Amino acid sequence: MSDIILAGQDLDHDHDAHHEVVPDRGIARWLLTTNHKDIGTLYLWFSFIMLLIGGTMALVIRTELFEPGLQFIEPAFFNQMTTNHGLIMVFGAIMPAFVGLANWLVPMMVGAPDMALPRMNNLSFWILPLAFGLLISTLFMEGGGPNFGWTFYAPLSTTYAPDTVTYFILGIHMMGASSIMGSINIIATILNMRAPGMTLMKMPLFVWTWLITAYLLLAVMPVLAGLVTMMLFDIHFGTSFFNAAGGGDPVMFQHIFWFFGHPEVYIMILPAFGIISQIIPTFARKPLFGYDSMVYATASIAFLSFTVWAHHMFTVGMPLAGQLFFMYATLLIAVPTGVKVFNWVSTMWRGAMTFETPMLFAIAFVVLFTIGGFSGLMLAIAPADYQYHDTYFVVAHFHYVLVPGSLFSILAAVYYWLPKWCGRMYDESLGKLHFWLSFVGVNVTFFPQHFSGLAGMPRRIPDYALQFADFNMVSSIGAYVFGFSQLLFLYVVIKAIKSGEPATDRVWEGAHGLEWTLPSPAPYHTFTHPPRVTEIEAHS
């Protein structure tokens, strides 16, 4: 995003008493806060705790799979680990982290004093710990927790599920309510509270991607709520939505789930596109190449995401016409995604690039996310998908999209904006060490899974044939490297907050945007006098 010139911005930087008023320290501040920065901080810490819990479950899975044979845990508990790992990472780690970044950054990027609906903002966060407390508590109940995979297909999740599935359904409803409230808040803030002169096509890309993501959430979360409600009725009230014996259809479950689930994939990646589109121009010291086309590509991806859901279902006995439609629609999404990758590479081309930690994560994002995209194109080809379906090739594909995609972008964002949040720089050497450990760990973990999948290893199994042993051993070693390197990230962040070098207001030499006009650390209340955006450089 190119530089923004402000009129009268000094009005907001007089350190009058209003800016220095921070609530008393203590638990009441965090329980009752309506400040967007506090709530953003709560979301980010919550998502990191969920990352550690979900990551621990992943390490349980990889420890069991280190070599053939049943080593440490029972198959039933293995199934509970795979289910909860997926649910916690998707709904507890990735999504709340992006909402936390939106809370911190969107008001500062558009020149708003806070989110549009601050009390609802508080409520939308505090629902989440209750929802995940409910979900995780099922592991300690009689019969164990959900054991039917994160996609919870019927009849596994209805007819054959443990009794605790009812708690799981309530937890999903609560998570959905939180997402819907957060989305309404973000849309209202962006559309109604922009600074004078900040037109839609002057907004930073991160704001654009979140505006589109929020509409996606509003569209699909009610679909998920309807689905789990139908499950609830099948389990407790004698209906047969998904029970073939009563005239229902288990395949209908998959259609409804993936009508939610595929846009959900883009909900977890569009904000990442926005983050990368902020970071690469900063460290390439060039304006983002093709700003307008990035906005249109993001909107195109969001629209097309509603037309491709059944590519997850090529093996259910779909008619040929259905297979062809969903195959071609899926391949079509590669076009706007390719536009984005082209624009990021073009932004870096002949730029005065430096390689601070946020830029390293951003470049890794572009390279590894593209690998995930290519394996997605392989899965989109209906006849080939019969070979790939439900193998470790699928596991490798979506982890290449969600770990170097979503998670790397979140880590890049924290390194990039942390000095603005806390007013202190992180340790660059430790940041780069964290990057290289994460980069090597991710590739050692997930790249071998392509090969074991192509060789025919099914996903979600606690034991496997001897021919898959070497790939699984390598994958498990990579998982431990990647998992434990995130503790180094925790250390880097805490060290920066407590004892980092003071950060300048601009922080990064090539950074542009309203948030960089604020002092570091950003005052508790910002833009109490709206800045007026009077001029903006050309995007090209």
Side-chain angles (χ1 to χ4, degrees):
M1 191 58 164
S2 41
D3 206 357
I4 295 172
I5 301 172
L6 305 171
Q9 68 187 41
D10 57 322
L11 289 172
D12 200 53
H13 296 174
D14 54 350
H15 287 154
D16 61 24
H18 186 58
H19 288 142
E20 299 304 319
V21 175
V22 178
D24 295 334
R25 294 186 181 277
I27 193 153
R29 167 185 174 180
W30 299 103
L31 285 173
L32 304 174
T33 182
T34 55
N35 182 280
H36 72 97
K37 300 180 181 74
D38 280 354
I39 293 171
T41 302
L42 285 169
Y43 268 110
L44 290 169
W45 278 111
F46 172 79
S47 73
F48 187 75
I49 292 165
M50 288 294 112
L51 181 77
L52 295 183
I53 293 172
T56 303
M57 292 175 176
L59 292 183
V60 170
I61 294 165
R62 289 307 331 163
T63 303
E64 179 57 54
L65 295 175
F66 185 77
E67 57 186 19
L70 293 175
Q71 318 292 331
F72 301 103
I73 58 176
E74 293 294 319
F77 187 70
F78 183 91
N79 290 342
Q80 292 173 44
M81 288 292 98
T82 54
T83 302
N84 282 277
H85 164 70
L87 290 167
I88 286 169
M89 287 304 200
V90 168
F91 295 108
I94 300 298
M95 289 173 66
F98 281 135
V99 178
L101 291 169
N103 263 286
W104 251 106
L105 298 169
V106 166
M108 295 203 300
M109 286 178 162
V110 301
D114 206 313
M115 297 294 278
L117 305 157
R119 281 183 288 242
M120 191 167 83
N121 205 13
N122 175 288
L123 178 61
S124 69
F125 171 75
W126 281 111
I127 288 174
L128 283 181
L130 297 173
F132 283 93
L134 204 61
L135 179 64
I136 294 167
S137 70
T138 59
L139 294 170
F140 304 98
M141 295 179 189
E142 189 178 348
N147 58 1
F148 32 67
W150 85 272
T151 51
F152 49 98
Y153 281 1
L156 280 177
S157 59
T158 52
T159 309
Y160 305 108
D163 293 340
T164 53
V165 69
T166 308
Y167 294 96
F168 155 82
I169 290 170
L170 178 57
I172 292 284
H173 270 301
M174 293 165 72
M175 295 167 207
S178 170
S179 292
I180 288 170
M181 286 192 281
S183 303
I184 291 169
N185 216 342
I186 288 166
I187 292 169
T189 304
I190 295 170
L191 294 185
N192 296 323
M193 298 183 68
R194 299 193 306 280
M198 170 85 60
T199 62
L200 287 175
M201 294 308 282
K202 289 180 184 175
M203 296 194 311
L205 244 295
F206 179 72
V207 179
W208 254 117
T209 54
W210 242 118
L211 179 64
I212 292 166
T213 301
Y215 277 112
L216 277 181
L217 276 163
L218 285 186
V220 301
M221 279 300 163
V223 176
L224 179 64
L227 183 68
V228 294
T229 304
M230 292 156 85
M231 283 174 59
L232 190 73
F233 274 65
D234 271 13
I235 294 165
H236 292 294
F237 301 111
T239 57
S240 293
F241 290 111
F242 310 123
N243 183 356
D249 185 2
V251 174
M252 181 175 74
F253 181 101
Q254 296 188 34
H255 277 291
I256 300 170
F257 177 85
W258 286 114
F259 190 78
F260 146 79
H262 200 78
E264 167 67 20
V265 173
Y266 291 97
I267 286 162
M268 290 188 286
I269 203 66
L270 291 183
F273 291 167
I275 290 165
I276 300 306
S277 301
Q278 303 294 129
I279 291 173
I280 287 178
T282 295
F283 296 102
R285 288 162 182 79
K286 282 172 62 186
L288 181 69
F289 181 88
Y291 170 90
D292 291 20
S293 65
M294 290 294 257
V295 173
Y296 298 136
T298 306
S300 303
I301 290 169
F303 175 76
L304 289 170
S305 73
F306 286 100
T307 67
V308 300
W309 75 89
H311 67 207
H312 298 268
M313 302 167 54
F314 283 142
T315 60
V316 302
M318 194 186 301
L320 179 62
Q323 290 191 348
L324 288 171
F325 171 81
F326 287 108
M327 178 169 80
Y328 293 138
T330 305
L331 294 171
L332 192 60
I333 284 195
V335 176
T337 310
V339 167
K340 285 179 167 296
V341 174
F342 177 82
N343 285 3
W344 290 323
V345 173
S346 300
T347 304
M348 291 187 274
W349 177 252
R350 302 183 78 171
M353 295 210 338
T354 54
F355 299 98
E356 288 85 351
T357 309
M359 187 59 161
L360 291 175
F361 274 107
I363 294 170
F365 170 97
V366 174
V367 174
L368 300 182
F369 174 77
T370 304
I371 292 173
F374 281 137
S375 61
L377 288 176
M378 294 171 67
L379 289 160
I381 297 167
D385 187 70
Y386 277 80
Q387 172 72 16
Y388 310 138
H389 187 79
D390 265 349
T391 69
Y392 258 80
F393 188 84
V394 177
V395 178
H397 156 68
F398 69 70
H399 280 91
Y400 259 88
V401 173
L402 287 179
V403 183
S406 302
L407 184 59
F408 271 25
S409 73
I410 292 162
L411 296 173
V414 172
Y415 281 114
Y416 185 60
W417 280 290
L418 182 68
K420 176 57 63 183
W421 298 341
C422 72
R424 295 180 181 277
M425 290 299 294
Y426 61 88
D427 185 318
E428 190 65 61
S429 305
L430 287 178
K432 287 182 174 171
L433 176 63
H434 171 235
F435 165 75
W436 285 111
L437 286 171
S438 297
F439 180 80
V440 171
V442 156
N443 285 290
V444 172
T445 304
F446 298 114
F447 207 79
Q449 294 177 6
H450 291 100
F451 302 120
S452 50
L454 290 174
M457 180 176 168
R459 63 199 277 203
R460 297 179 185 165
I461 54 170
D463 189 12
Y464 51 85
L466 197 57
Q467 74 251 34
F468 307 123
D470 291 348
F471 285 136
N472 273 288
M473 185 175 287
V474 170
S475 195
S476 292
I477 291 167
Y480 272 92
V481 172
F482 178 71
F484 282 99
S485 65
Q486 304 322 304
L487 297 176
L488 175 61
F489 172 64
L490 176 64
Y491 174 74
V492 172
V493 170
I494 292 173
K495 181 172 183 254
I497 293 169
K498 287 189 173 298
S499 59
E501 295 290 319
T504 60
D505 289 356
R506 178 70 60 175
V507 183
W508 309 109
E509 180 192 332
H512 298 298
L514 282 179
E515 74 269 34
W516 305 110
T517 66
L518 296 166
S520 297
Y524 195 68
H525 297 284
T526 46
F527 298 123
T528 48
H529 305 278
R532 194 166 69 258
V533 182
T534 55
E535 183 184 335
I536 191 162
E537 293 173 8
H539 294 298
S540 56

